[in-house]
Amino acid sequence: MPLLNQFLRMGIRKNVANYRPISILPSFSKILEKIMYIRLMNHLETNNILATEQYGFRTSSSTTQASLNFISNILNELKKKIVSEVSSLTYKKPSTV
């Protein structure tokens, strides 16, 4: 059974919304989680289930590679005189303070 601690993010200490829960898992749970992660990732990569555009949570992948791939695609379309459109969405959790 995990223990839960509350850590103050920022703001007024009396406001409950300013705290975030942190779970302190026993060692066995952490080991089991790591084993499951390794097995799951091995299965996904062996069977080519993940898309090549999936950069997060993969070994040898990074946001830098995702950015380079994006720029490369835009430049290739410019060379071919293909019109490209880009939409960007940024989400920020509303402040409760």
Side-chain angles (χ1 to χ4, degrees):
M1 187 65 127
L3 299 173
L4 289 176
N5 287 337
Q6 298 291 327
F7 289 95
L8 181 66
R9 284 187 248 180
M10 62 176 64
I12 302 168
R13 289 184 176 271
K14 292 182 181 179
N15 187 348
V16 178
N18 292 336
Y19 287 86
R20 63 185 173 103
I22 300 292
S23 175
I24 303 171
L25 296 174
S27 299
F28 179 74
S29 295
K30 291 182 180 184
I31 294 168
L32 183 61
E33 179 182 345
K34 184 70 173 180
I35 291 169
M36 293 301 296
Y37 172 79
I38 291 169
R39 292 187 70 188
L40 178 62
M41 288 306 293
N42 184 35
H43 172 75
L44 294 174
E45 290 174 357
T46 301
N47 295 302
N48 293 323
I49 295 173
L50 294 176
T52 56
E53 295 84 9
Q54 173 69 39
Y55 291 96
F57 305 104
R58 293 182 80 177
T59 54
S60 303
S61 289
S62 67
T63 54
T64 303
Q65 286 180 314
S67 298
L68 290 173
N69 186 32
F70 172 74
I71 292 168
S72 176
N73 288 340
I74 295 295
L75 291 174
N76 286 336
E77 289 185 359
L78 282 172
K79 286 179 188 175
K80 296 176 186 176
K81 300 188 190 267
I82 298 174
V83 176
S84 298
E85 293 183 25
V86 177
S87 295
S88 177
L89 176 65
T90 302
Y91 174 77
K92 182 178 178 185
K93 184 177 177 181
S95 177
T96 56
V97 176

